[in-house]
Structures are given as structure tokens and as C-alpha cells.
Amino acid sequence: MSERKLILVIGGTGAQGIPVVEALSASPNYSAIVLTRNLTSTRAQTLASLPNVTLLQGTQDSLPSLHAAFAHKPHGAWVNLDGFTLGEKNELFYGIRAYEIARHHGVKHYIWANTDYALRIAGWDERYHWGHNDAKGRIGDLILAHGRGEREGGLLGGMAVSLLTTGPYMDMLFDGMYLPQEKEDGSFVWRNPAANGKIPLIALADVGKYSLWILNNPLQSTNLNLAVATEQVSFPDIAATFTRVTGIPATHEPMPLEEYLPLAEPYPHAYANWALGPDTPRDKSVMTWRENFSAWWRFWGEGKGATRDMGFLDGVLPERVRSLEEWMRLVRYDGRPRAVLKGLEDMRGGKGTRTGEGNKVV
Ligand SMILES: *[C@@H]1O[C@H](CO)[C@@H](O)[C@H](O)[C@H]1NC(C)=O
Ligand SMILES: *[C@@H]1O[C@H](CO)[C@@H](O)[C@H](O)[C@H]1NC(C)=O
Ligand SMILES: *[C@@H]1O[C@H](CO)[C@@H](O)[C@H](O)[C@H]1NC(C)=O
Ligand SMILES: *[C@@H]1O[C@H](CO)[C@@H](O)[C@H](O)[C@H]1NC(C)=O
């Protein structure tokens, strides 16, 4: 086995980043350095305990940090910025700068953790614009445009570029917006503003495997927007699958956005980056929580993100989790809340599964 290639991971302590770092560590082909704000956080320490993983202190929104990270001359980079803390404007700026700095330092393969560019996909209808997805999607378009240009110029030399586009996490059925409520009669209900469109849900545990495939197969993965999903399902599908797996009756009760938003809002008139508190200075580019989530529910609920090529994904990752039903059985889904990362752990502990074996790839 030839030497391990170094991969810089930005966003390694996030819900997608953790399975990616684990997959790199478990593969004989790679070692990882993880840029992290806080070296002593529990998640950072857990990652640092894995073989061939080292931490590097720094932040995603600092040009000196980005230069220092890429100065380690990694072979590849896997970059997922945290749009929720950065906000749309900063995510755009640092997303583009991270990519440019990677090029400056001669990275061979750049993986951008992308999201659907909802505004463009919805035909520039502003009712489908929300900051987090569109910031990533715009940068994804820019990166592919450069990559394609290079190839057309007869040279694949510069830097291989790949997008790994994820939609909502299947794991969100454990918490947050996709958690059902249990009724007094023991049945479950998903009450939300989703229409009956198909949503490309992705099981987080497969994100690491897709990332390894991209790195292991640069000729196939360069210039590729690998848009992944485990299955594209509507909320009525989710309820029916739940009943098939658990035997418990379940329904989807759609409710109008105007009814849903006031109930779900973290506090009245919250901004999209509400967690920073009501008094954080903000300019007029920051969307309100209601604007942000209205677009989010519209886009996914109407099935506008159901663009995944499932046959292609079967070819890329034959061992992938194939369906919502398979996932529910693997994690023993029961409709009750669980922390998303806990769900990942359960999946790894799942009996006799390919996921239980760790991170073997095609
Ligand atoms: C390591 O790289 C080789 C060559 O690209 C590939 O065939 C193999 O599947 C990779 N192994 C893992 C576990 O990623
Ligand atoms: C870093 O993480 C540790 C452990 O969770 C925590 O005690 C500390 O306050 C954190 N430091 C910063 C600067 O956030
Ligand atoms: C990777 O980890 C193994 C096992 O801990 C160790 O023997 C090896 O030296 C490490 N390689 C690199 C490049 O860090
Ligand atoms: C808006 O909502 C999405 C969907 O949950 C979220 O990921 C994002 O962080 C929110 N905030 C901003 C600033 O876009």
C-alpha cells in the first residue's frame, strides 16, 4: 500500500464532517488534518483519538487560518462551511476564498460540501431563496465552471474538483423539523407545511463513503456534482414506511405555513441566525427566520429537490443504505427524539450490517 495521502477537512466536527473524518481514518489511503476552532471540545477530541487524524487550531472565517491550513500541502481538501454561524454573505466570501487559497497552495483534489442552489433550480423565483443553501450552491457553480473550463482547455492538471451535494438528512427524523409527534392513542403524526413532493433524504453515515469514492476515483469524480440521497420520499411515504417498519399507525397532516411558522419560530421575529441572540448586530442582508424556513419548506416539500439519479448512486456505492425502510430498520427508528449524532452511533452498532463494518468502499 502506498503512502497515505493527507486530506484537510474543514467542518470536520459537524454532522457530515464526523463520518467523513472517520471514513478517512479507517481507509488505508488517507490521513486527515481537521481545522477546528476549539481543540479541546468533545467532538474535536473524539476525532483526534482516531488513527491518522490530527487537529489544527483555526477558524473557517479567517484568511490566515485558511492559509496556515492549506500550507500543510494536503493532497485533497473536504470543505463544509457552517452557514448557520457565518450567514449568507460571509459564507459566500469565505467559501470562495477557501477554494482560491486551495488552488494557490496546489491542492490536487477539492471537494466542496454543496447544497442545492434552490433559487436557480426554482427558476429564480425569490420565494425559494434562503441563504444557507444558495450560498453553497453559488460557490458550487463557480467551482464547476472553473473545473470544466480547465478540462475544455485540454488540461486536467490543475485541480480535480467535485461537489458532494446533500439535501436534508434522514437523521433529522430524530430531531428538529422532521420529528413526528406521538398522539394519545399511540399513533404518530407529522404535522408540517410540506406538500406531497419527494424529498431527497440522505443518511449521514453514507456521506463518508461517498467522500472516499470521490477521492479514490478522481477521473470519474472530477467536475462531477455528486448529488446524493438515500431515497426520495414524500411525507405520506415517510408515514407509510414508518407503519410498515413499526406496525404503528402514522399520518402526515399538512398545515399552512401561516399556521406553522408562529408555532415553530424560536422567538417572535427571530432572524435566520437566531441562535446568535436577538441583539447581535445584523445588516439588511440577514433573512428572518420565517423567510428562511418558508423557502426551505416550499422547495423541499414541493419536490423541487428530487433531482437525484438513484441508479447512478447505486453504481457509485453498491453498499449504500438503499431506502428509508432499510435505514429505519438499521437504526431501529421509533419516532422518538434522539440526538442526530447518537443516531449515527446506533447505526454503526447496528447488527450484521455493512455500516457496522465501518468504512469499506466499493
Ligand atoms: C484505496 O485506494 C485504492 C486505489 O484507488 C482503491 O482501489 C481502494 O478501494 C481504496 N481503499 C479504500 C478503503 O478506500
Ligand atoms: C472548548 O471546549 C471546551 C470543552 O467543551 C470548553 O470547556 C471550552 O469553553 C471551549 N472553549 C471555547 C473557546 O469555546
Ligand atoms: C496511521 O496510523 C497507523 C496506526 O495508528 C500508524 O502506524 C501510522 O504510522 C499512521 N500513518 C500516518 C501517515 O500517520
Ligand atoms: C435557514 O434554514 C436552514 C434550514 O434549516 C438552515 O440550515 C440555515 O442555517 C438557516 N439559516 C440561514 C442563515 O440560512
Side-chain angles (χ1 to χ4, degrees):
M1 182 55 63
S2 58
E3 211 171 282
R4 286 172 180 261
K5 290 175 175 158
L6 181 65
I7 309 298
L8 168 66
V9 178
I10 298 180
T13 57
Q16 288 188 48
I18 289 172
V20 169
V21 176
E22 288 176 338
L24 292 169
S25 167
S27 154
N29 295 336
Y30 305 106
S31 58
I33 43 171
V34 179
L35 184 72
T36 182
R37 188 169 44 89
N38 186 346
L39 295 176
T40 60
S41 77
T42 313
R43 289 184 186 187
Q45 283 301 308
T46 306
L47 293 179
S49 70
L50 298 171
N52 298 294
V53 176
T54 50
L55 303 178
L56 184 65
Q57 205 278 329
T59 59
Q60 53 184 353
D61 55 349
S62 145
L63 299 176
S65 276
L66 291 172
H67 270 292
F70 283 106
H72 283 75
K73 295 290 173 197
H75 164 86
W78 186 95
V79 180
N80 190 9
L81 299 190
D82 179 2
F84 187 76
T85 52
L86 289 176
E88 182 179 354
K89 282 203 305 189
N90 275 346
E91 184 167 24
L92 260 177
F93 176 77
Y94 288 106
I96 293 171
R97 289 299 288 136
Y99 159 77
E100 291 169 345
I101 290 169
R103 289 215 159 225
H104 169 81
H105 288 280
V107 166
K108 300 285 188 301
H109 198 158
Y110 194 82
I111 304 176
W112 173 245
N114 192 46
T115 49
D116 298 70
Y117 187 173
L119 179 60
R120 173 167 63 65
I121 294 167
W124 311 109
D125 181 338
E126 285 280 309
R127 294 180 320 126
Y128 297 89
H129 163 65
W130 76 99
H132 170 68
N133 263 56
D134 287 343
K136 288 193 195 311
R138 291 171 188 129
I139 296 165
D141 277 10
L142 175 83
I143 291 173
L144 282 190
H146 289 182
R148 293 216 172 88
E150 253 172 31
R151 184 168 254 187
E152 280 153 20
L155 142 117
L156 189 69
M159 179 166 88
V161 290
S162 308
L163 310 186
L164 178 58
T165 301
T166 51
Y169 306 151
M170 198 164 270
D171 309 64
M172 284 167 58
L173 290 164
F174 282 131
D175 71 2
M177 294 190 294
Y178 286 169
L179 187 71
Q181 289 165 296
E182 188 172 358
K183 295 212 262 191
E184 280 186 7
D185 63 5
S187 67
F188 281 75
V189 59
W190 277 270
R191 301 190 74 226
N192 61 41
N196 286 347
K198 305 268 188 197
I199 305 173
L201 296 181
I202 176 71
L204 278 171
D206 278 348
V207 170
K209 298 176 190 182
Y210 281 118
S211 301
L212 278 191
W213 178 84
I214 288 173
L215 287 166
N216 286 337
N217 299 279
L219 289 176
Q220 284 160 274
S221 67
T222 191
N223 290 332
L224 181 69
N225 176 7
L226 186 65
V228 297
T230 300
E231 191 178 0
Q232 310 192 110
V233 284
S234 65
F235 269 96
D237 295 337
I238 292 173
T241 306
F242 177 77
T243 300
R244 205 156 58 238
V245 171
T246 62
I248 302 170
T251 49
H252 174 230
E253 283 175 20
M255 66 197 288
L257 266 170
E258 312 79 72
E259 261 178 57
Y260 172 85
L261 292 171
L263 299 173
E265 202 173 32
Y267 46 82
H269 312 297
Y271 284 93
N273 57 355
W274 57 273
L276 302 178
D279 302 323
T280 298
R282 294 175 171 94
D283 66 38
K284 292 218 156 61
S285 75
V286 178
M287 297 179 80
T288 65
W289 189 92
R290 288 189 187 201
E291 289 167 333
N292 188 51
F293 280 90
S294 299
W296 191 89
W297 280 109
R298 258 182 219 122
F299 182 80
W300 298 118
E302 292 174 9
K304 290 201 166 12
T307 58
R308 283 26 174 179
D309 181 344
M310 303 311 293
F312 181 73
L313 296 176
D314 289 344
V316 163
L317 209 64
E319 84 233 42
R320 70 184 190 82
V321 180
R322 292 288 177 127
S323 64
L324 175 63
E325 177 166 346
E326 185 181 334
W327 179 86
M328 283 188 171
R329 293 189 192 283
L330 273 172
V331 301
R332 297 185 183 83
Y333 184 73
D334 61 4
R336 301 209 167 81
R338 228 184 274 179
V340 164
L341 294 171
K342 172 80 168 53
L344 272 174
E345 277 159 26
D346 291 354
M347 190 147 169
R348 278 180 214 110
K351 58 172 177 165
T353 63
R354 51 192 84 99
T355 43
E357 293 172 23
N359 302 283
K360 295 215 188 80
V361 153
V362 280

